[in-house]
Amino acid sequence: MSYPVNISIEAPVENQIQEISYDGQEIYQMPLTMSENLARLAQKIDFSKTSCDDLKKDPDRDDSCEEDAKDATYQSSVWPWDSVRNKLRNALTEICVLADVLAIAKEKRYMVLDPIPQEVPESKPMTQVYARKKALSGAASVLLTGAERLRASQNEASRNRSSPPDFHIELLRLRQNWRLKKVSNTIIGDISYRTAGSKYAHTGMFEVTKAEEEPDKCASPPPSPGANSKLTSALKLTVPSELQGIAYIEVISQKDQEDLCSANVSLQNFSSTTAPIPEANWQKRLEAAQNVLFCKELFSQLAKEAVGLQAAIPHTVIGNQIIASTFPGVHLKITLRHKNGGGEASSETRRGQKGEHDHVLEHSLHQMLREVHHKNTHHPFPHPSSAPLGPSKRRCLAGPSATDRYYLLEMTKSQTLLEQIIQQSQHTLLRQRTEYVLDTIIKEVKDPLIVTHWNALNSPTLSCVKINIITHGYDTICRTSLVIQVNEKSLKCVCRDGRVMHMSYEGQELRDLIFCQIYQHQISAVQALARCMGWQYLANSSHLGLGTVEPLGNASSCILASPMGDRLIAVRCEPQGGCQVSIAHSPRKDFFSGQLVKERKWENLGGAFKEVRWDKMEGRNFLNKMELLMASLTSS
């Protein structure tokens, strides 16, 4: 009876043992990679043998096997690296030969490489002369051919100038710039803005026909090449009479027959030219007609809005003029100027413009009419698609956003072109007033210095100016800054400490505010200077209730004490009276004990203040005089 026996089989060790640690763990050597195995086999090649007979010999093989192998017609090499060895030996041989040749040629000890002398060709001067003559004749023929081509092109150009232009070529150029269509046998053009969204009633049509040739043109002698020939065209344009001539819109702000600001609106600068446009230049004629149409549409829109608006002072529309009131005593006049043909401009068209030309207002007039055209053609799409057409996206989102009634009413409000023009003209006038008031104060007040910075980037109805009040030489000690926002009818002042003051369009209010800020700056600068000089700050009041009542603003004051406490300085600044400085001594020199005050300690309270003759003080400005006064009163 056989019993099962467990046999343990251990795999043979394929890798060699590299190291045995102290705990008996065997560390095997990693097997060779393919590249390492190839390198190991290549090291076994013996390149000294010239044949592979020894390698093919195998002592273990039988004689019978050798005879069978010799009889075979094909016998493969027993050694697989035979071909590699042969190629490497051939390469080594060629490199050795190349190295020997280079060494011989470089060292020049064994061989010298000299060029083989060639026979000097026999020089034939006549042959060279003939060759040069042939080359010159070829160059001359090329120049003559080019000159002939230039002469032919010049003759063709002169013939084209003398001959009438082609009708179809001119029509092609016209069609590239303007809209044309053929109605039966007539070519009709369109210069209106209907495709851009205009709803003006005028059609803006013109007719294109072929110009008739002059009968005496053939009999006249041809013009000389250097003379300027009269411009002719094969096209004849028939423009409606109401679109002929030159037109522009004149916007003027007047106060007592004085122009404050003005703007001339046209597509091109036609307002300065009075010469008629020749019929041959059809491009300029169409541009002028389109400009007339643009100005008439703009004025028609403004006149329609002026009649419909309900203002405190009703707007007036008389003929080609709209008169609106912007400020008390200031009127805005919008006039349509249209000159037919080359007649002289009327006396209204104008005495030289005295007011400042407002380019912003001119640009805004163009932009506002373009916006009207854009709104006529670009309606907001409904969201969702089943919603009614017309409400804007903001109104569609008002329901989900739970918008209140005030916000909904703000959405429905919109400004007409005339209202926007009036607001911009009001802002322009108020800005000019602000500039005039600031420039006047800067000229009047020499101490302290007032520096204004107008923002370069503003909106047509809002401008900002930053005002810095500094004292020359003491700008690092104290600086008073405020920002004034110029709106349409009001001014808003934001001080550095966060105070906000609103003013009307009257320039006197701004003037009063600037003077109050100037004298408050003087008090603040004196206090900052006292801290630098080591003086003590005792009291300060921005709205002093003592002394005479100021017609403008309130007086400000401060009291300073010397470092030793024996000198006092009182400074009072009034918007109308200027600055007053008084000093007092402690202990007082005129103290005498009496029945009521017997002790000497009361003399340290200081004596009465004595006013300093400020105009006799040395110094460049107020702070410089204060610095010298503090230095002289400081006890050593």
Side-chain angles (χ1 to χ4, degrees):
M1 185 175 181
S2 60
Y3 296 96
V5 180
N6 295 328
I7 301 175
S8 299
I9 301 176
E10 183 178 359
V13 180
E14 296 181 358
N15 301 330
Q16 298 180 1
I17 298 174
Q18 181 179 0
E19 183 182 356
I20 300 176
S21 59
Y22 292 105
D23 56 355
Q25 184 178 1
E26 297 177 353
I27 299 175
Y28 295 97
Q29 186 178 4
M30 296 301 295
L32 297 177
T33 61
M34 296 182 65
S35 60
E36 292 175 351
N37 192 17
L38 178 62
R40 184 177 62 83
L41 295 175
Q43 289 177 358
K44 296 181 181 181
I45 301 174
D46 186 7
F47 292 99
S48 62
K49 296 181 180 180
T50 58
S51 62
C52 57
D53 295 337
D54 298 336
L55 296 176
K56 291 181 180 179
K57 292 179 180 180
D58 189 359
D60 297 335
R61 295 181 64 183
D62 298 335
D63 297 338
S64 59
C65 293
E66 293 178 358
E67 293 176 359
D68 295 337
K70 291 179 182 179
D71 297 335
T73 58
Y74 172 78
Q75 180 179 6
S76 62
S77 176
V78 179
W79 190 43
W81 297 94
D82 187 16
S83 59
V84 176
R85 195 272 312 271
N86 293 337
K87 292 181 180 179
L88 289 177
R89 284 183 63 85
N90 295 336
L92 179 61
T93 303
E94 293 179 359
I95 290 175
C96 292
V97 172
L98 179 60
D100 294 340
V101 172
L102 292 177
I104 292 172
K106 183 179 180 182
E107 296 179 2
K108 298 183 179 180
R109 291 187 298 177
Y110 309 100
M111 182 174 58
V112 177
L113 300 178
D114 290 333
I116 301 175
Q118 298 180 357
E119 296 182 0
V120 180
E122 183 179 358
S123 60
K124 297 180 179 179
M126 293 304 298
T127 306
Q128 297 178 0
V129 171
Y130 291 147
R132 292 177 183 175
K133 185 177 180 180
K134 185 178 180 181
L136 290 175
S137 62
S141 62
V142 172
L143 293 176
L144 291 175
T145 305
E148 188 65 27
R149 291 180 180 178
L150 289 176
R151 190 180 297 107
S153 62
Q154 187 176 4
N155 294 334
E156 184 179 359
S158 62
R159 285 196 302 271
N160 292 337
R161 285 196 298 267
S162 60
S163 61
D166 187 22
F167 171 75
H168 297 89
I169 298 298
E170 292 283 332
L171 187 63
L172 177 62
R173 294 175 183 173
L174 180 65
R175 188 179 180 184
Q176 291 175 353
N177 298 326
W178 304 92
R179 295 188 300 273
L180 299 177
K181 62 180 179 180
K182 188 174 182 180
V183 179
S184 67
N185 294 330
T186 308
I187 300 176
I188 302 298
D190 185 11
I191 58 175
S192 66
Y193 291 93
R194 285 196 299 271
T195 56
S198 174
K199 295 183 179 180
Y200 190 51
H202 199 283
T203 58
M205 297 293 182
F206 64 94
E207 184 179 359
V208 183
T209 57
K210 186 175 181 181
E212 299 179 358
E213 296 183 1
E214 298 179 2
D216 57 343
K217 189 173 182 180
C218 299
S220 61
S224 60
N228 294 328
S229 58
K230 184 179 178 181
L231 295 176
T232 58
S233 176
L235 301 180
K236 181 181 179 181
L237 304 182
T238 305
V239 181
S241 59
E242 60 270 15
L243 297 183
Q244 295 179 2
I246 298 170
Y248 62 95
I249 292 181
E250 186 180 47
V251 184
I252 300 177
S253 293
Q254 284 186 344
K255 180 180 181 181
D256 299 334
Q257 301 300 323
E258 179 185 358
D259 296 350
L260 300 179
C261 68
S262 64
N264 295 335
V265 181
S266 63
L267 292 182
Q268 287 87 14
N269 189 17
F270 288 113
S271 59
S272 59
T273 59
T274 57
I277 302 175
E279 294 185 0
N281 197 341
W282 48 263
Q283 179 67 22
K284 289 187 177 181
R285 287 189 62 199
L286 293 180
E287 289 177 357
Q290 193 176 45
N291 172 68
V292 173
L293 184 63
F294 174 84
C295 294
K296 286 193 173 184
E297 179 181 359
L298 179 58
F299 186 82
S300 174
Q301 181 72 19
L302 295 176
K304 186 187 304 181
E305 294 173 356
V307 174
L309 287 177
Q310 296 180 358
I313 301 178
H315 307 310
T316 307
V317 181
I318 302 175
N320 289 340
Q321 190 177 56
I322 303 173
I323 301 176
S325 177
T326 55
F327 290 111
V330 181
H331 299 282
L332 178 68
K333 293 185 178 180
I334 304 175
T335 308
L336 174 62
R337 305 289 183 186
H338 186 196
K339 298 190 292 290
N340 290 323
E344 295 182 357
S346 61
S347 60
E348 297 180 353
T349 312
R350 200 72 179 183
R351 61 216 183 217
Q353 299 288 343
K354 297 180 181 178
E356 180 183 356
H357 184 76
D358 190 359
H359 297 278
V360 177
L361 181 60
E362 177 182 350
H363 173 72
S364 298
L365 287 169
H366 283 276
Q367 188 178 12
M368 286 186 288
L369 186 58
R370 304 297 186 190
E371 289 179 357
V372 172
H373 292 171
H374 185 271
K375 291 179 182 178
N376 291 337
T377 55
H378 295 75
H379 300 284
F381 292 101
H383 298 278
S385 58
S386 59
L389 184 65
S392 63
K393 186 176 181 180
R394 293 174 59 191
R395 292 186 59 187
C396 293
L397 296 177
S401 303
T403 306
D404 56 358
R405 180 175 178 273
Y406 175 77
Y407 192 73
L408 288 174
L409 291 177
E410 289 295 326
M411 288 184 188
T412 58
K413 293 181 180 179
S414 60
Q415 290 182 334
T416 60
L417 297 183
L418 185 60
E419 289 177 336
Q420 296 180 32
I421 294 173
I422 293 175
Q423 287 183 359
Q424 292 186 20
S425 62
Q426 289 174 344
H427 169 74
T428 303
L429 293 177
L430 190 55
R431 179 187 171 107
Q432 290 181 359
R433 288 185 181 181
T434 306
E435 292 176 354
Y436 175 76
V437 171
L438 293 178
D439 293 343
T440 305
I441 295 176
I442 291 173
K443 292 177 182 179
E444 293 178 1
V445 180
K446 303 300 181 181
D447 178 32
L449 302 178
I450 303 175
V451 183
T452 59
H453 299 276
W454 287 91
N455 288 354
L457 300 178
N458 299 312
S459 68
T461 57
L462 178 63
S463 300
C464 292
V465 54
K466 183 177 181 181
I467 302 175
N468 291 323
I469 304 175
I470 59 176
T471 303
H472 179 65
Y474 299 88
D475 51 345
T476 58
I477 295 178
C478 183
R479 177 191 297 261
T480 301
S481 301
L482 61 150
V483 176
I484 296 179
Q485 296 180 0
V486 183
N487 298 314
E488 298 93 357
K489 291 185 177 181
S490 62
L491 299 176
K492 179 181 178 182
C493 177
V494 181
C495 298
R496 191 171 185 176
D497 54 359
R499 292 179 299 168
V500 179
M501 290 165 282
H502 296 273
M503 296 166 286
S504 66
Y505 54 83
E506 294 294 339
Q508 186 63 35
E509 297 184 12
L510 176 62
R511 184 182 178 87
D512 299 345
L513 173 66
I514 298 299
F515 273 104
C516 291
Q517 292 293 322
I518 287 174
Y519 290 105
Q520 288 182 8
H521 165 79
Q522 297 285 42
I523 294 297
S524 302
V526 167
Q527 297 175 13
L529 180 62
R531 287 192 294 267
C532 296
M533 299 290 293
W535 282 58
Q536 299 177 5
Y537 162 70
L538 299 182
N540 176 29
S541 176
S542 300
H543 305 283
L544 192 61
L546 301 177
T548 59
V549 179
E550 290 292 327
L552 169 63
N554 295 320
S556 303
S557 67
C558 66
I559 300 177
L560 307 174
S562 63
M564 299 300 294
D566 56 346
R567 299 289 188 274
L568 296 177
I569 297 178
V571 182
R572 176 188 175 96
C573 290
E574 302 173 355
Q576 295 294 333
C579 296
Q580 299 176 2
V581 181
S582 303
I583 61 175
H585 296 270
S586 178
R588 55 190 300 179
K589 297 179 181 180
D590 56 348
F591 177 79
F592 301 100
S593 60
Q595 294 180 357
L596 296 178
V597 182
K598 299 180 180 181
E599 299 179 0
R600 302 289 299 181
K601 65 179 181 179
W602 299 106
E603 68 181 356
N604 295 323
L605 290 177
F609 283 93
K610 297 180 180 180
E611 186 176 354
V612 179
R613 299 180 62 181
W614 201 244
D615 54 344
K616 302 297 182 181
M617 283 286 297
E618 296 288 339
R620 294 173 299 177
N621 47 45
F622 177 73
L623 285 187
N624 193 5
K625 294 179 181 181
M626 286 297 302
E627 182 182 5
L628 296 177
L629 180 61
M630 291 181 185
S632 62
L633 295 178
T634 302
S635 300
S636 60

